[in-house]
Every structure is written in structure tokens, then in C-alpha cells.
């Protein structure tokens, strides 16, 4: 008799760049795939993003950045998440992120990085497959 | 069970992760969550529960942000539950209200949680009530419940509140009449936000007029106040009125209201439990399917089938009782 | 109502000839086409432009029979400027090849500028980093990781001194992509001119200074809408009085398009913004002919080739009409829509990036056939990283090949008279005008912003575009068709050294110690008063930057007076 579990997801834009086209398109696609989406808006600090993930008890944190500051900001976010015990949340990266940075990002706990041209379905499929494992 | 115990202990200590997890449990598995909520129940009843509702574009979220800042100045701990509609087609939802309060998100004494309606009005009303209990038990002094619009389900949700604030704004167009019609009866305080706009005074007069048409039996006459949340004007006054309303409740009707709320909640719980258990049983025994097939074969119709079923069960209920 | 005989007079085609064509067309449509289609079906059931304008199988004289040549097309250099702003167009002067650039510290960008000038570029164009754009100093906590990343970091006059070291301002024109803090950057440029001894009348260039489109699309806003428009108007007024060669504003559709709008929305929203700025300047007491000639525009060149050319032609015609009919401008130059065009960044793909060279080539060809005054071509590696020097060179060469090898520059507006193109130009104007009327009826642009109108329109279009790609209704080569296993990237991607941030922050902190702090504070206090009294702030801001007050400090003063922008989120 339990209600069907919903995937809850934060779509966040850390850093100062304001290219939110991708983040918004993806937020809509997540909603249309039946997820509950919290879109944070621009200019979020790592603290705000992590606290949102905690209070909203999300399954996924999807980070979008196009300014090139991902190597500074992503590690801050994953570190904070670890400190707060948010170990069961899937963290994804998207935006303009050079291939050569991806191994380092995976090492710090970014589960996957989705570049431009990635179909939204690919990301949705990845989320559905990988959130079942953790919860 | 151990998990439940851990959650309950966490909530009582005000641990934010435990609060979050308990609310998730309430949303996903009300049956299991009931164990936690029952344990928390004795610790509830301390928080002032404020319902805030109003149409999209009235600036509710900004107003709430400013109201919470005001509450924080007085060192009140605040919980917020923001309810957003789920899409009836996909079941997905944008939980958009917290965005506008994002500045509050790193304040350790403020807890914001978004909830989607999940297309189950009854379920949602229950889930919101339980989530409010969690925040109440966790030690929040004030719990704010925010909803959009004035549908019956929103009205049901907002009934959890001691004080209901209805937020409107001038120039929202034709919707406003319909909205007001649905909200006039539930509001304890009316706010005309975006009062720096033209026609703000007209909106106030408009609401006053509608209030005058209402009954004069109640001792509390809902005040109408103007705010401009973006400029932080009028929020202190709003808080003042909210507190006055609480004083009024305590003096005049608090016990009656509490008794009423308890009764409503009990009746709803009974309704839900009985329906759930009957349907579960019918499903288990295959009777539901059998009747469905009979309906499909036009041997009976849904209403006669339900009558026949309930007759049996009600008889049993009476003899057992 | 136009009478029949008058209408006939206006027609480009002879009526008898036209009815013969109609007869033949009927035959073609009812006989020839169905016979052919029965054996060779068409690729799609219907064809549309990016703005969902229906594209017919064939355009004939019938489609443009109502065109009045002198009224609707006219001659180059004469109203309504459909065929071009100048009498000889590219037979005389080519467009300005202007490549937007800037990264790292002012020193690095100065080196890049000198390289570009040597390579034959004729105008400089500065990209600023996010902290600068948002009015934050390089040492602000939010700036961490962002300094010098997507443009050059500028916090004070010191940085601009380095940026223009060895570049005489009377020999170049400079375009600055800056909006919120545009007053400050222009003030710094003026200060450098003063130092170099260049008279203010000789300073040439453009400040983007279009804050409204930030609310619709780019969201790099510092202040709420109304004070933002006030600052824009300060520059418009100051330039009208003191900098006759400066384009105070570049009213931009580019960002609206990049954020996801279609071509019609891009055009309509840009013109609506333009109307708002004109109204604001008129309220200031300026005369329309006093400032209108210096207004300039900035559009995107996207993939749908014919629609884009139609957009540029319709834009000129529509603006001329608006200036003449709505604002009663009398000088021909007030009716000019001078435009800068940039190829579309969001059409570039990360997969098979070399294909982007071809996209950029077609897009820039559309810009040239559309009669642009200035062009930036994107680099093919932009979906992967900031452009590398080699990729920037290919982009610039693309323009040079169009200019010197294709021959399209040898005659003016060569596609005019095309049944299809003229029809699309008409449709573009018509549909944009519908939007402008709608915006007027909702109380203008600022009211539309408050209602979330623009953001919603743009987000809807962006989502539609993405879905079309995913459903393969729209083909994107190398992405949803013709994908390959292994990509070929013929260059090394540019990496910005993290060191830039440290150098920049160090330099700024040294400056804050060594400058005359009392003087800086005094001017900031003066600015506070000026802002409260609603004066034109340009003179005081020039004073402030000369006292080495930083952009962050100046913006803080203004934030105090005007309040801060709060993002209105519409998904």
C-alpha cells in the first residue's frame, strides 16, 4: 500500500556563470520523466547546494557549470557532502567540462559527467539505473 | 524498527538529516512512517503553525523569506513546508518555492522542505500534517505551511494551521475574483502584497468589502494589511498580527480549535484505515477482481457491487462491536 | 482599405502575366506535383523554420505580388533600408571583423589583442570574466575559481591600464561586452583616453550596455530592472553629449537566442527592448534625433539559412518604421539599424567539433547576405573549452574567405527579389510585430519582465528545440545522425592557468593598499549622494575610477541605493 517512491533531484548551478539553458531544459526533462525537481537558480554556493540536498533528502544532485570553474567548485561540494554524511546521493556534472578533467572529477565522487549534446534520455536512464542501487 | 528509533531520536534532537529522512518516509511509506509519527506525537503541540496561501505571482515566497528573517531576529526556530503541485500527466513536479527562500537555506535554525502533491489530495493532507508534526517535535517554534491556489485540496492542507494568511497582490487579473471566493472563508489575516503597485488600495477595499459580507459571529475580524516584501515593508506588522491572532486563539477558542482538529484528524484516520483495510482484504481474497469481472460482464454495476460488499462487512463490524 | 486599382498600381508584376502564372501554377500543383510525389514522397509532411513558420514547397510571383518595391525594399542607403544601410555596401568597405576575446589577466589579454591586430583584425572586443560582469572584485568570496576564466578580470583602472598598454585608443575601436557595470568600464576607457591624450570626441567603440536582455535571457544582472534602465540611459545621454563616436548601447538579441528563443522571438524582444530604451531617453528630455543614430544592435546568426537572412532584412525595415512612425525621428540616420552579428554558440557541437567550422561558415554567410556591419565568427572548439588561438584563426579566416573569395560581396543584397526570401522577410516582420503589440498591451517590457513573460517564452522554445533533436524531428549532424566512434580534434584545447587568479588578486590587494584611500572613499560617498539624487552618474563614476575605486566598491554603493537583483526563476 506504500506510495510509489519518487526520485527527488536538485538541479543546481554553482559558480557565477549564468548559462541556465541546459539546466532548465534538463530540469523540465526530469520533471517530465516523473521526478520531483528542485532547481536552485543561479549563483549557488557549495554550502547552499549541499544544505538543500540535505533538507530535501534528494537522491540526486545534478550540477551544471559552463564557466570553467568546475575543478574549484565540484570538489568543494563533494567534500561538504561527505562531511554531512550525504554518502548515498548520486552527484552528476554537466556543462562545458573537458574530457581530461573527468577522471579527476570521478575520483572526488562525481558519478558521471554529461557534456553538451547528451540526450536528456541518456541522463534520465543513468539516474534511474543508479538510484535504485543506493536506496 | 531500529531505523525508526534512530529517526525519532534524531528528530527530537533537531538533527536535520533525521528530519529530512522522516519526512521522506512519510511521503513514500505512510504506513511505516506512522510508527515514527506516533512516537513523536507526545512531543508536538508547541509550535505555532502558520498557513500561507495565495495565487502564483502574489509574492508569497518572498514574503515568507522576509517573515522568517523577522522571526529569526526574535530567535525563533522556523520550519517551512512548501507544497507544489505534481503534474497530473507525468507525476513529476517542480518544487520551486524554496528557490526564492534560498538565502535562508544555510541558517541552521531554519528547515525548508518542499513537498509535491503527488496527485493524492487526501494523502497529501495527511502527509503535510505529519510533516508538520515532525518539525514541531524537532523543536521548531514556528512552522509555516505554504500552498498555491485555492482548490479544495489546498484548503484541506491549510486546515492544519492555527493561523491562515491569505496573500494577494493587485493586478493579478481575473483570477483574483475566483481565488478570493475560495479563500475568503479560510483567511485569518489578509495581505495585499506588492503594495507599491497601483491599485493596492483598491484591492484592500475590495477585500474589506467582501469581509463585511461575511458573518459577524466570530470575534476575530480578519485584518487586511499591505506589504511590499521586496522592500521588506510591512512584514514586521504582519508578524505582529500573526502573534495577535495566536493570543486571540489562546484566549478565546484555542481549546475548541484543538478539540476540533483532533476530532477531524481522528475521523479522517478512521476513514482511511477502514477503506484501506477493506480494499486490501478484497484484493487479497480476489473478491475485488471477481467483482470487477462481473461489472465488465454487466452482471452488476459498481454501486450495487459496493452496496453488496459493504452490507456484509458493516454487519460484521456491528456484531463484532 | 486599399482600392483595387491602387493595389494594382503597387504591384511589381503585370496583372495579365500574373494570372497566366497562376494558371500554370495550378496545373503544376494539381498535376505535376501529385504525379511525382506518388512515386517520390517528400522527406517530411511539412517543413518549418526554427520559428515554426511554414515553408512552402515553392514560392512564385504570386507570393510577393503585394510588395511595393519602393515602400518595402527601396534602395541601399535609403529608407526603409531593407537592402542595406549603405549606398554601396561591401563594394566599398567590408564589415568589421571583430573577434570577441579576453581571458586570464589583463596582461595576457593585452598580448592576445596585439596578436589579433597583427592578424588583420580591425576592432577589439573584450570579454570580461564573471566577477567583473557581476560587479564583484576579483578578491570577493564568490569570485573564487572564476577569476579570468571566461574573460579578462577587471577590478580597477589599474587593470584597464595594463589591458591597453601600447594600444593607442585613437587607432582602434573597442567593443566591450559589459552591461551591469557598463558605466564603470566606459569611465575607465575614458580615463585611459585622457591619459593617452586622446580627445573624448575621438573615442570609438561600443558598450553593450543592454540590461533588459539580461532579465530575459542572460541573467547577469546586478540591480532591479528600473535602476538598470536608468544606468543604461545615463550612458546614452552622456555619449549623446560628450562621446559622439561611441555606440552607447548594443541592443542585443544574441543572448535571447542563445538562451533558447527562436528567430521571431529574438527579433521581437530585441526591438521591444530598443523601444524601451528610446522611451527612457525621451523621458530624460533628449531629442530622438540626438541619440537614435548611435543606437546599435546585436543579433545571432543561427543555422536556418534563409530565415536568418530574412530576419536581418526584416529587422532593418521594422526598426526604420518604428523610429519613423512611433518616435517621429526625422534624420535618416535615426532610422538606421546598425548591427553586429555573431554566429551561434549554442549550435556548435562537442561531438565531431571540426563540423563546427562548416556551421560557422554558413551562419556567417547568412550574416553577410543579411547586410551586417560587423561580425564575430565562433571558434569550432567552443563547445569543448575556451577558444584556442588556432581555432580563432580559422574563425577569422572564414570571414576573410567570404569577403574575398566567394564574390557575394560584389553586389548589394544579392538575394533580394527571391520569391521565397521576400516572403520570409514579410512573415518575419509580421510575426515580430505581433509580439511587439502583445508586449505593448501588457504594459511594456518591464511589466513583461515582472510577469515572467520573456523567460517563459524562451524556456518553452528551448525545451521544444531540445525535444525536436531528441525525437529526430530536427537533425543535428554528428549528434543524432552520423555519429562516429572516435572524434577528431585537430588542436590542443586551451587551458587557463589557475595562476591568473592569484596574480590578479595579489595585484588588486596591493592596489587597495597603495592608492589614496581617503580620496577613493570621498568619491564613493559623493557617488552615493549622486545616486540618491537621481543625477546622471557618469561624471562621478569617471572621478571614482580615476581615484582607483574598484568596480566592486562602486557597485556596492549602487546596490545600497538601488537594491539588488533577485533572480526570478521560470523554468
Amino acid at each position: 500500500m506504500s506510495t510509489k517512491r519518487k526520485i527527488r533531484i536538485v538541479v543546481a548551478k554553482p559558480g557565477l556563470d549564468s548559462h541556465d539553458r541546459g539546466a532548465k531544459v534538463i530540469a523540465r526533462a526530469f520533471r517530465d520523466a516523473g521526478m520531483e525537481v528542485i532547481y536552485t537558480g543561479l549563483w549557488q554556493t557549495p554550502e547552499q547546494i549541499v544544505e538543500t540536498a540535505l533538507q530535501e533528502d534528494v537522491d540526486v544532485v545534478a550540477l551544471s557549470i559552463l564557466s570553467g570553474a568546475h575543478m574549484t567548485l565540484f570538489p568543494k561540494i563533494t567534500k561538504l557532502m561527505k562531511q554531512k554524511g550525504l554518502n548515498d546521493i548520486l552527484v552528476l556534472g554537466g556543462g562545458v567540462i573537458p574530457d581530461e578533467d573527468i577522471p579527476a572529477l570521478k575520483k572526488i565522487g562525481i558519478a558521471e559527467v554529461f557534456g553538451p549534446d547528451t540526450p536528456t534520455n541518456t541522463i534520465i536512464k543513468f539516474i534511474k539505473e543508479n538510484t535504485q542501487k543506493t536506496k | 524498527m531500529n531505523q525508526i528509533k534512530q529517526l525519532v531520536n534524531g528528530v527530537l534532537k533537531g538533527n536535520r538529516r533525521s528530519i529530512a529522512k522522516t519526512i521522506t518516509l512519510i511521503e513514500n511509506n505512510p504506513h511505516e512512517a506512522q510508527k515514527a509519527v506516533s512516537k513523536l506525537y507526545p512531543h508536538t503541540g508547541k509550535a505555532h503553525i502558520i498557513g500561507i496561501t495565495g495565487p502564483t505571482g502574489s509574492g508569497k515566497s518572498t514574503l515568507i523569506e522576509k517573515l522568517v528573517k523577522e522571526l529569526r531576529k526574535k530567535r525563533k526556530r522556523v520550519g517551512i513546508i512548501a507544497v507544489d503541485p505534481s503534474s497530473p500527466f507525468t507525476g513529476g513536479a517542480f518544487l520551486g518555492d524554496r528557490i526564492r527562500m534560498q538565502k535562508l537555506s544555510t541558517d541552521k535554525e531554519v528547515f525548508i522542505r518542499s513537498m509535491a502533491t503527488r496527485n493524492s489530495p487526501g494523502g497529501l493532507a495527511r502527509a503535510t500534517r505529519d510533516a508538520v508534526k515532525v518539525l514541531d517535535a524537532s523543536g521548531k517554534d514556528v512552522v509555516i505551511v505554504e500552498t498555491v491556489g485555492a482548490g479544495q485540496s489546498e484548503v484541506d492542507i491549510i486546515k492544519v494551521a492555527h493561523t491562515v494568511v491569505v496573500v494577494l497582490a493587485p493586478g493579478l487579473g481575473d483570477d483574483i475574483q475566483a481565488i478570493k471566493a475560495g479563500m475568503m472563508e479560510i483567511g485569518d489575516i489578509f495581505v495585499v502584497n506588492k503594495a507599491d503597485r497601483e491599485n493596492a488600495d483598491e484591492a484592500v477595499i475590495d477585500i474589506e468589502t467582501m469581509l463585511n459580507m461575511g458573518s459577524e459571529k466570530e470575534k476575530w475580524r480578519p485584518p487586511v494589511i499591505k506589504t511590499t516584501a521586496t522592500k521588506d515593508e510591512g512584514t514586521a506588522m504582519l508578524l505582529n498580527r500573526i502573534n495577535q491572532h495566536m493570543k486571540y486563539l489562546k484566549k478565546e477558542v484555542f481549546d475548541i480549535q484543538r478539540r476540533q482538529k483532533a476530532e477531524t484528524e481522528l475521523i479522517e484516520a478512521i476513514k482511511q484505515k477502514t477503506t484501506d483495510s477493506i480494499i486490501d482484504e478484497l484484493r487479497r481474497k480476489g473478491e475485488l477482481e471477481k467483482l470487477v469481472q462481473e461489472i465488465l460482464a454487466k452482471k452488476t454495476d459498481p454501486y450495487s457491487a459496493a452496496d453488496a460488499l459493504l452490507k456484509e462487512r458493516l454487519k460484521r463490524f456491528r456484531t463484532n462491536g | 482599405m486599399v482600392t483595387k486599382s491602387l493595389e494594382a498600381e503597387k504591384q511589381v508584376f503585370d496583372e495579365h502575366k500574373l494570372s497566366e502564372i497562376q494558371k500554370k501554377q495550378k496545373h503544376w500543383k494539381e498535376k505535376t506535383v501529385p504525379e511525382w510525389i506518388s512515386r517520390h514522397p517528400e522527406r517530411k509532411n511539412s517543413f518549418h523554420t526554427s520559428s515554426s513558420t511554414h515553408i512552402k514547397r515553392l514560392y512564385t510571383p504570386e507570393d510577393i505580388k503585394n510588395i511595393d518595391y519602393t515602400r518595402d525594399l527601396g534602395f541601399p542607403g535609403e529608407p526603409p533600408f531593407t537592402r542595406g544601410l549603405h549606398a554601396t555596401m561591401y563594394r566599398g568597405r567590408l564589415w568589421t571583423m571583430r573577434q570577441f576575446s579576453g581571458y586570464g589577466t589583463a596582461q595576457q589579454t593585452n598580448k592576445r589583442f596585439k596578436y589579433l591586430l597583427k592578424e588583420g583584425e580591425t576592432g577589439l572586443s573584450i570579454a570580461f570574466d564573471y566577477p567583473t560582469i557581476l560587479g564583484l572584485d576579483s578578491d570577493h568570496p564568490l569570485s573564487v575559481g572564476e577569476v579570468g576564466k571566461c574573460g579578462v578580470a577587471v577590478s580597477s583602472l589599474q587593470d584597464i591600464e595594463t589591458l591597453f598598454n601600447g594600444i593607442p585608443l585613437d587607432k582602434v575601436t573597442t567593443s566591450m561586452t559589459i552591461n551591469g557595470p557598463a558605466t564603470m568600464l566606459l569611465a575607465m576607457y575614458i580615463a585611459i583616453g585622457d591619459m593617452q591624450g586622446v580627445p573624448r570626441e575621438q573615442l570609438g567603440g561600443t558598450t553593450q550596455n543592454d540590461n533588459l536582455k539580461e532579465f530575459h535571457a542572460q541573467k547577469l544582472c546586478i540591480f532591479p530592472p528600473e535602476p538598470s534602465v536608468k544606468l543604461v540611459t545615463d550612458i546614452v545621454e552622456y555619449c549623446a553629449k560628450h562621446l559622439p563616436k561611441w555606440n552607447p548601447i548594443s541592443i542585443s538579441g544574441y543572448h535571447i537566442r542563445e538562451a533558447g528563443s527562436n528567430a521571431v522571438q529574438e527579433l521581437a524582444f530585441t526591438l521591444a527592448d530598443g523601444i524601451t530604451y528610446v522611451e527612457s531617453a525621451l523621458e530624460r528630455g533628449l531629442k530622438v534625433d540626438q541619440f537614435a543614430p548611435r543606437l546599435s544592435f546585436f543579433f545571432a546568426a543561427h543555422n536556418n539559412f534563409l530565415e536568418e537572412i530574412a530576419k536581418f532584412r526584416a529587422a532593418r525595415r521594422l526598426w526604420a518604421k518604428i523610429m519613423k512612425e512611433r518616435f517621429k525621428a526625422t534624420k535618416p540616420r535615426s532610422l538606421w539599424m546598425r548591427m553586429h552579428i555573431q554566429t551561434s554558440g549554442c549550435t556548435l557541437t562537442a561531438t565531431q567539433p571540426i563540423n563546427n567550422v562548416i556551421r560557422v561558415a554558413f551562419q556567417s554567410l547568412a550574416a553577410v547576405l543579411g547586410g551586417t556591419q560587423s561580425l564575430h565568427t565562433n571558434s569550432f572548439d567552443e563547445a569543448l573549452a575556451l577558444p584556442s588561438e588556432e581555432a580563432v584563426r580559422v574563425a577569422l579566416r572564414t570571414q576573410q574567405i567570404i569577403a574575398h573569395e566567394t564574390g557575394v560581396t560584389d553586389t548589394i543584397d544579392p538575394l533580394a527579389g527571391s520569391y521565397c526570401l521576400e516572403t520570409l522577410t514579410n512573415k518575419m516582420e509580421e510575426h515580430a510585430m505581433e509580439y511587439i503589440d502583445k508586449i505593448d498591451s501588457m504594459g511594456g517590457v518591464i511589466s513583461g519582465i515582472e510577469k515572467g513573460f520573456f523567460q517563459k517564452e524562451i524556456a518553452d522554445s528551448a525545451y521544444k528545440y531540445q525535444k525536436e533533436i531528441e525525437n529526430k524531428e530536427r537533425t543535428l549532424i554528428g549528434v543524432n545522425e552520423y555519429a562516429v566512434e572516435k572524434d577528431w580534434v585537430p588542436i590542443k584545447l586551451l587551458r587557463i592557468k589557475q595562476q591568473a587568479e592569484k596574480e590578479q588578486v595579489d595585484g588588486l590587494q596591493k592596489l587597495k593598499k597603495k592608492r589614496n584611500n581617503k580620496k577613493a572613499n570621498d568619491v564613493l560617498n559623493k557617488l552615493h549622494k549622486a545616486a540618491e539624487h537621481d543625477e546622471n552618474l557618469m561624471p562621478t563614476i569617471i572621478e571614482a575610477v580615476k581615484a582607483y575605486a574598484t568596480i566592486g566598491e562602486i557597485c556596492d554603493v549602487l546596490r545600497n541605493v538601488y537594491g539588488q537583483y533577485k533572480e526570478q526563476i521560470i523554468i
Side-chain angles (χ1 to χ4, degrees), chain B residues 2-54:
Chain B
N2 213 2
Q3 187 213 353
I4 297 283
K5 208 169 164 185
Q6 254 180 11
L7 284 180
V8 170
N9 285 340
V11 170
L12 292 176
K13 280 187 204 134
N15 177 293
R16 301 202 308 294
R17 187 131 161 89
S18 304
I19 299 172
K21 289 273 174 207
T22 312
I23 298 178
T24 304
L25 195 63
I26 287 168
E27 285 192 296
N28 290 338
N29 191 345
H31 193 67
E32 191 65 17
Q34 198 197 314
K35 296 174 192 162
V37 178
S38 312
K39 287 208 162 58
L40 293 170
Y41 197 79
H43 305 273
T44 61
K46 284 166 283 187
H48 183 178
I49 301 158
I50 304 168
I52 298 189
T53 188

Side-chain angles (χ1 to χ4, degrees), chain A residues 1 3 5-6 8 27 31-32 34-37 39 44 48 51-52 54-57 85-86 88 135, chain B residues 16-17 20-21 24 28 90-95 98-99 102 105 110-114 116 118 276:
Chain A
M1 104 122 254
T3 319
R5 185 172 168 71
K6 289 274 176 199
R8 289 171 67 88
R31 182 200 54 182
D32 290 351
M35 303 181 194
E36 293 181 352
V37 185
Y39 171 63
Q44 295 294 301
Q48 284 174 321
E51 199 51 45
T52 301
L54 186 154
Q55 293 177 12
E56 298 290 351
D57 192 30
L86 306 180
D88 53 352
K135 303 241 163 165
Chain B
R16 301 202 308 294
R17 187 131 161 89
K21 289 273 174 207
T24 304
N28 290 338
T90 64
F94 280 135
L95 306 175
R98 94 168 278 130
I99 304 163
Q102 201 56 349
S105 68
V110 177
F111 189 99
I112 310 172
R113 179 58 178 251
S114 317
R118 297 198 179 175
D276 285 354

Side-chain angles (χ1 to χ4, degrees), chain C residues 100-352:
Chain C
F100 181 56
S101 63
Y103 64 93
T105 59
Q107 210 162 6
Q108 285 168 310
T109 305
N110 175 262
K111 229 176 95 194
R112 169 76 69 111
F113 280 170
K114 287 178 175 162
Y115 165 82
L116 287 169
L117 289 172
K118 200 181 104 224
E119 286 293 311
E121 212 184 270
T122 43
L124 299 175
S125 177
I126 314 175
F128 296 94
D129 70 358
Y130 283 108
T132 309
I133 288 170
L134 289 166
L136 306 170
D137 284 340
S138 299
D139 58 354
H140 190 281
L142 272 172
S143 304
V144 177
E146 305 274 5
V147 176
K149 269 278 151 62
C150 285
V152 60
V154 174
S155 296
S156 73
L157 183 59
Q158 175 177 268
D159 301 321
I160 290 284
E161 285 165 9
T162 315
L163 195 59
F164 286 97
N165 183 25
I167 301 174
L169 297 196
D170 53 351
K171 296 284 187 309
V172 294
T173 60
T174 305
S175 166
M176 295 197 262
T177 300
I178 195 77
N179 297 282
T183 47
M184 293 144 242
L185 271 306
L186 178 58
M188 288 180 188
Y189 198 78
I190 291 170
I192 297 290
D194 289 355
M195 282 179 199
Q196 290 186 356
V198 180
R200 291 187 184 177
E201 306 79 67
Q202 277 184 35
L203 293 178
T206 307
T207 32
Q208 192 166 80
N209 191 30
D210 171 7
N211 282 327
L212 286 173
K213 62 97 170 52
E214 298 292 330
F215 293 94
H216 313 327
Q218 193 163 246
K219 331 268 162 54
L220 293 168
C221 312
I222 305 178
F223 313 109
E226 276 176 40
S228 297
V229 172
K230 180 244 183 299
L231 289 170
V232 170
T233 314
D234 278 1
I235 293 188
V236 173
E237 185 183 19
Y238 188 85
C239 291
K241 291 176 181 163
H242 306 285
L243 301 188
K245 281 178 146 179
W246 194 268
N247 301 313
I249 182 167
S250 167
I251 307 163
S252 306
Y254 186 81
H255 316 79
I256 294 172
R257 190 65 180 279
E258 287 288 294
S261 83
N262 60 39
V264 170
Q265 291 166 326
E266 176 194 0
L267 177 58
F269 298 172
T270 309
L271 294 186
D273 289 349
I275 289 169
T276 312
Y277 294 130
V278 172
E279 283 169 350
S280 171
L282 292 175
E283 275 168 33
R284 257 320 146 89
L286 293 173
K287 294 260 175 329
V288 66
D289 288 318
Q290 205 181 343
F291 64 88
R294 294 312 307 178
L295 301 177
S296 64
F297 288 80
F298 174 22
F299 292 107
H302 222 268
N303 282 339
N304 197 305
F305 189 70
L306 297 173
E307 184 184 40
E308 292 301 299
I309 301 171
K311 180 182 75 185
F312 303 129
R313 298 173 84 242
R316 271 193 302 272
R317 183 161 78 201
L318 193 46
W319 185 247
K321 278 188 196 168
I322 290 170
M323 290 312 289
K324 193 173 167 195
E325 288 161 19
R326 184 165 177 156
F327 294 114
K328 314 286 176 226
T330 52
K331 271 199 213 162
R333 280 214 170 199
S334 299
L335 313 185
W336 275 20
M337 171 186 267
R338 289 173 304 138
M339 54 174 86
H340 170 66
I341 294 175
Q342 179 172 340
T343 60
S344 163
C346 69
T347 61
L348 303 185
T349 61
T351 47
Q352 303 181 37

Side-chain angles (χ1 to χ4, degrees), chain C residues 368-485:
Chain C
V368 171
L369 291 172
T372 192
Q373 276 61 60
S374 160
L375 179 62
H376 167 106
T377 33
N378 286 51
S379 303
F380 67 88
D381 54 356
E382 276 179 32
L384 302 168
L386 285 174
S388 61
E389 210 157 90
E390 293 85 346
V392 172
R393 187 186 299 132
V394 175
L396 185 57
R397 293 292 179 260
T398 307
Q399 296 198 35
Q400 290 159 340
I401 288 168
I402 292 174
H404 301 290
E405 296 186 15
T406 63
V408 298
T409 47
D410 298 347
T411 184
I412 302 163
D413 191 24
L415 298 191
S418 146
Y419 310 125
C420 169
L421 191 73
E422 294 300 353
T423 310
L424 289 183
T425 305
N426 289 345
K427 291 259 181 243
M428 180 62 66
E429 180 179 340
E430 191 186 310
H431 295 157
M433 208 51 225
E434 281 165 19
Y435 262 118
I436 292 172
D437 287 341
K438 193 169 172 185
I439 295 162
D440 279 338
S441 71
M442 68 176 74
V445 171
I446 290 190
S447 160
I449 290 171
E450 283 165 0
K451 293 189 171 84
F453 171 75
F454 299 99
Q455 281 207 59
K456 181 86 176 78
E457 285 275 330
I458 293 169
D460 285 348
S461 292
Y463 195 55
K464 182 167 169 271
Y465 184 88
Q466 178 68 22
K467 283 283 148 199
E468 283 168 1
I469 291 171
E470 294 188 10
N471 300 335
K472 295 204 177 184
E473 288 161 42
R474 184 187 288 274
T475 304
L476 208 51
I477 303 300
V479 176
N480 63 4
E481 289 283 3
Y482 313 111
V484 289
E485 278 295 308

